[in-house]
Amino acid sequence: MTASRVTLKLATSLDGRIATASGESRWITGEESRREVHRLRAAHQAVVVGIETALADDPELTVRLEGHSGPQPARVVLDTQLRLSPESRLARTARDIPTFLVAGKPGTPRLADLGVRVLAPTGSGARPSPADVVEALRAEGLAHLFIEGGGKVAASFLAAGLVDRLVWFRAPLILGARGRPAVGDLPWELLAEAPRFRRVSMAEVGPDLCETYERT
């Protein structure tokens, strides 16, 4: 079975914020960066977000590029309590594009009728760990994962040591300490405990900067 590979995408202000204090986030990065994100989605087997991102943005998480004729990546929502609405775009399009919820309990008939598949990793308890998530998706043939948000999900995968590649889009604006951080709380207190990444590329993307890092 193919080994899993996890890419974490961040799109932030220069000071690492993904939204203002009120939650406004559209759009921090420019059109060119957003187009590049679609290319990145197309290069992965599944796009992963947390339920807070799904509820706040009601995204489709599809590849929308002119001329794109390849398959759409699966959409995965980390949804412990099965809060995703049957009226959401993800649920309403689940019969056309594979859509998974990773939860701590079985799904509901309403979601199943729409084509949403619920994965409840055995022995993971009420909240599947990032390792549980990666293994459950790998069992479904989804090994190349593209994590798009939000801050808690980013922090959990970083803390678990599962992020292999980091793609960071930075827009030329500053939101300050009241803005919402791209990465949530992490458990380490010493610099030696923090994961290290090696920058492998850097490019201007419209008005933004895109940096790619590999885990050392």
Side-chain angles (χ1 to χ4, degrees):
M1 189 178 292
T2 303
S4 295
R5 181 167 172 81
V6 176
T7 298
L8 171 62
K9 183 271 290 183
L10 301 175
T12 75
S13 60
L14 290 176
D15 53 343
R17 305 291 161 170
I18 57 173
T20 65
S22 66
E24 182 184 0
S25 62
R26 294 188 177 182
W27 296 100
I28 287 179
T29 53
E31 181 179 347
E32 295 90 342
S33 289
R34 297 195 296 275
R35 190 159 50 241
E36 185 61 27
V37 169
H38 284 273
R39 294 191 185 97
L40 287 164
R41 286 178 182 173
H44 291 78
Q45 293 174 317
V47 177
V48 182
V49 299
I51 183 59
E52 298 300 335
T53 296
L55 293 176
D57 298 342
D58 191 22
E60 290 183 89
L61 302 179
T62 53
V63 177
R64 298 185 296 280
L65 289 172
E66 185 176 353
H68 176 72
S69 59
Q72 290 286 344
R75 291 91 56 88
V76 179
V77 182
L78 308 184
D79 186 9
T80 304
Q81 298 301 320
L82 297 176
R83 296 162 58 197
L84 186 72
S85 169
E87 304 303 320
S88 66
R89 292 179 182 177
L90 289 168
R92 287 188 283 110
T93 57
R95 290 201 177 279
D96 300 317
I97 304 170
T99 304
F100 297 83
L101 302 185
V102 182
K105 57 185 178 181
T108 64
R110 180 91 184 273
L111 288 171
D113 288 344
L114 291 168
V116 177
R117 290 192 56 193
V118 176
L119 305 179
T122 304
S124 62
R127 184 178 297 275
S129 70
D132 293 330
V133 172
V134 170
E135 186 57 33
L137 294 175
R138 192 167 73 98
E140 297 292 331
L142 304 174
H144 297 161
L145 309 181
F146 187 56
I147 300 177
E148 289 206 40
K152 290 182 180 179
V153 174
S156 67
F157 277 80
L158 285 166
L162 293 172
V163 175
D164 301 296
R165 184 169 177 246
L166 176 63
V167 181
W168 195 328
F169 296 89
R170 292 195 291 169
L173 74 163
I174 293 176
L175 297 181
R178 293 183 62 226
R180 299 185 181 181
V183 179
D185 290 342
L186 290 166
W188 36 80
E189 297 181 0
L190 301 175
L191 287 175
E193 298 173 327
R196 297 282 178 174
F197 291 85
R198 176 176 60 89
R199 188 171 63 209
V200 295
S201 70
M202 180 170 61
E204 292 184 358
V205 184
D208 306 325
L209 186 67
C210 178
E211 298 165 280
T212 302
Y213 295 84
E214 297 281 349
R215 184 172 60 181
T216 59

